[in-house]
């Protein structure tokens, strides 16, 4: 089931990860059909962790001018241009074309971290959401917390609800928030462990903005599944994910006030978990309309590669060498009425 994969890590130079053959074979069949010629370029990146890139989202609550000057000296540049339709001044993210990972910061109780390491494409759902000060915001599937932290770099919601159903991931979320957000603001954040499918009924028409970074078949991590039997089980259960994602979307629509908007995102290339889920919601909910995000896509086209042929309310980031961001699917919708 496995192919040995040697990672070019300067310090150790030893085998660290192995590609799971059963997952790769599955992806070969599905994504060749769905992506065509683009799949071979994407596959080359996904199966080569030494060419992956990492961005740094700076924490406005723990500013460090010396860090920014150091990043510039190391070839980092602002990942998002000022010409974007929505880019708050306090939102600062740095990336570089060279692969490699900036040193991570350890969690220390009572001390805020200066930056969050992430895949730069994971910030596109936050920029698409366009959160404003004072709004009621729900992050429906919030762990590990990167997008919650990013939202708070953009604005100060009047009410911010971060939800994570899984108990272990919920503790991870709480630690992330503690590491990046100062106490006065933490007191304004609600962290819950509710079933996201029920929040719409529990808090109907309460939120101005909802982010659904849905549970999905994470292409990057699945390719390096440690256990081939677990990988095979995951692939069998993959078909059930779209049903869960649709139910989360329905719940989010119920939780939105009329006029409110939601952003749906995944880190998979799978059409069944992306466009198909959104199309099903649009065809079954007459009070939901697509929102054009093509302006944002055009604004970041120098940094990201997108799948061509998508609708104006959606985008799919395709990893390529030198721009190894994604996969990341983003779609934006608006609730136009109560019924």
């Amino acid at each position: 089931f496995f192919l040995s994969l040697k990672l070019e890590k300067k310090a150790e130079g030893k085998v660290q990860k192995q590609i799971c053959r059963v997952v790769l074979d599955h992806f070969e069949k599905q994504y060749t059909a769905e992506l065509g010629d683009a799949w071979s370029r994407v596959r080359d990146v996904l199966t080569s962790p030494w060419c992956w890139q990492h961005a740094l989202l700076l924490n406005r609550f723990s500013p460090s001018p010396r860090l920014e000057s150091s990043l510039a000296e190391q070839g980092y540049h602002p990942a998002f241009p000022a010409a974007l339709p929505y880019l708050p001044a306090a939102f600062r993210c740095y990336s570089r074309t060279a692969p490699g990972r900036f040193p991570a910061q350890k969690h220390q109780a009572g001390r805020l971290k200066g930056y969050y390491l992430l895949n730069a494409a994971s910030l596109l759902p936050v920029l698409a959401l366009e959160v404003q000060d004072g709004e009621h915001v729900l992050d429906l599937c919030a762990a590990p917390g990167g997008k919650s932290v990013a939202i708070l770099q953009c604005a100060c919601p009047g009410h911010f609800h971060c939800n994570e159903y899984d108990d272990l991931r919920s503790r991870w979320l709480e630690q992330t928030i503690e590491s990046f957000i100062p106490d006065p603001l933490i007191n304004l954040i609600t962290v819950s462990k509710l079933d996201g499918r029920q929040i719409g009924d529990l808090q109907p028409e309460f939120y101005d903005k909802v982010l659904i970074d849905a549970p999905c078949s994470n292409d990057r991590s699945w390719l390096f599944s440690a256990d081939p039997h677990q990988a095979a089980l995951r692939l069998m259960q993959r078909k059930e994910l779209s049903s869960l994602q649709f139910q989360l979307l329905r719940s989010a629509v119920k939780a939105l006030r009329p006029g409110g908007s939601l952003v749906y995102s995944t880190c998979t290339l799978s059409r069944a978990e992306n466009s198909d889920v959104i199309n099903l919601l649009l065809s079954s909910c007459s009070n939901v309309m697509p929102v054009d995000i093509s302006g944002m896509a055009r604004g970041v086209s120098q940094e990201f590669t997108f799948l061509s042929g998508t609708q104006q309310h959606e985008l799919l980031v395709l990893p390529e060498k030198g721009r190894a961001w994604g996969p990341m699917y983003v779609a934006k919708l608006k609730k136009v009425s109560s019924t």
Side-chain angles (χ1 to χ4, degrees):
F1 282 110
F2 290 92
L3 296 174
S4 292
L5 177 67
K6 293 186 177 181
L7 300 187
E8 298 172 355
K9 191 169 183 183
K10 295 177 183 176
E12 293 103 353
K14 62 184 180 182
V15 174
Q16 289 189 321
K17 291 186 177 183
Q18 293 177 310
I19 296 173
C20 185
R21 185 81 225 188
V22 67
V23 174
L24 182 58
D25 288 347
H26 180 89
F27 284 0
E28 284 280 3
K29 184 176 180 180
Q30 178 180 351
Y31 293 148
T32 297
E34 294 185 7
L35 302 177
D37 294 341
W39 166 239
S40 63
R41 298 190 300 273
V42 172
R43 179 191 59 216
D44 288 347
V45 172
L46 293 183
T47 57
S48 309
W50 58 83
C51 76
W52 294 1
Q53 295 161 252
H54 295 84
L56 287 85
L57 176 66
L58 303 194
N59 185 9
R60 66 171 170 142
F61 305 110
S62 181
S64 175
R66 291 175 61 186
L67 173 60
E68 292 196 63
S69 60
S70 174
L71 289 171
E73 291 170 2
Q74 297 177 59
Y76 284 84
H77 62 273
F80 299 96
L84 279 180
Y86 174 85
L87 189 72
F91 185 90
R92 299 195 308 284
C93 178
Y94 286 85
S95 66
R96 64 177 180 180
T97 53
R101 187 185 181 99
F102 203 78
Q105 294 175 311
K106 292 183 179 179
H107 174 72
Q108 293 179 282
R111 185 172 181 178
L112 296 181
K113 293 184 179 181
Y115 55 87
Y116 191 98
L117 293 173
L118 40 66
N119 184 318
S122 67
L123 295 172
L124 293 175
V126 173
L127 294 177
L129 196 60
E130 300 188 17
V131 174
Q132 306 294 333
D133 288 346
E135 290 184 323
H136 288 200
V137 181
L138 168 63
D139 190 348
L140 192 66
C141 311
K147 293 180 179 64
S148 296
V149 167
I151 286 171
L152 291 167
Q153 305 304 313
C154 295
C156 183
H159 177 83
F160 192 23
H161 182 178
C162 301
N163 181 71
E164 177 54 52
Y165 182 60
D166 182 84
D167 188 61
L168 184 62
R169 288 174 58 83
S170 182
R171 292 200 293 273
W172 189 3
L173 168 65
E174 289 178 343
Q175 186 178 88
T176 299
I177 291 173
E178 289 172 7
S179 295
F180 286 90
I181 311 303
D183 285 338
L185 196 53
I186 282 183
N187 295 334
L188 301 176
I189 301 171
T190 300
V191 178
S192 67
K193 293 187 284 188
L194 299 169
D195 184 333
R197 295 170 292 186
Q198 299 174 357
I199 288 180
D201 291 323
L202 295 171
Q203 296 178 302
E205 300 193 347
F206 182 76
Y207 298 98
D208 300 293
K209 303 281 172 67
V210 178
L211 174 65
I212 314 165
D213 188 42
C216 67
S217 47
N218 185 321
D219 294 348
R220 283 193 187 230
S221 66
W222 280 29
L223 272 169
F224 297 94
S225 301
D227 182 343
H229 301 292
Q230 181 192 52
L233 182 61
R234 277 177 168 176
L235 292 174
M236 287 176 59
Q237 296 173 335
R238 197 179 194 198
K239 295 177 182 178
E240 301 170 15
L241 281 168
S242 58
S243 175
L244 169 62
Q245 292 155 349
F246 178 72
Q247 292 174 64
L248 290 170
L249 274 164
R250 288 294 298 265
S251 177
V253 171
K254 290 180 182 179
L256 271 178
R257 64 165 181 80
S261 57
L262 69 85
V263 168
Y264 173 84
S265 63
T266 73
C267 52
T268 181
L269 299 161
S270 175
R271 186 183 298 161
E273 298 175 52
N274 295 337
S275 296
D276 289 356
V277 176
I278 294 297
N279 290 337
L280 180 59
L281 185 82
L282 288 170
S283 64
S284 61
C285 295
S286 59
N287 62 336
V288 176
M289 300 290 289
V291 177
D292 186 352
I293 56 172
S294 59
M296 182 185 75
R298 285 193 300 272
V300 296
S301 60
Q302 293 300 310
E303 188 76 26
F304 302 97
T305 300
F306 297 105
L307 177 68
S308 60
T310 57
Q311 300 297 307
Q312 289 186 323
H313 62 274
E314 62 180 355
L315 58 85
L316 178 60
V317 179
L318 301 178
E320 286 193 342
K321 286 184 177 177
R323 300 200 286 187
W325 312 116
M328 180 59 56
Y329 175 80
V330 183
K332 186 171 184 177
L333 308 172
K334 182 177 182 177
K335 184 174 181 176
V336 294
S337 66
S338 295
T339 57

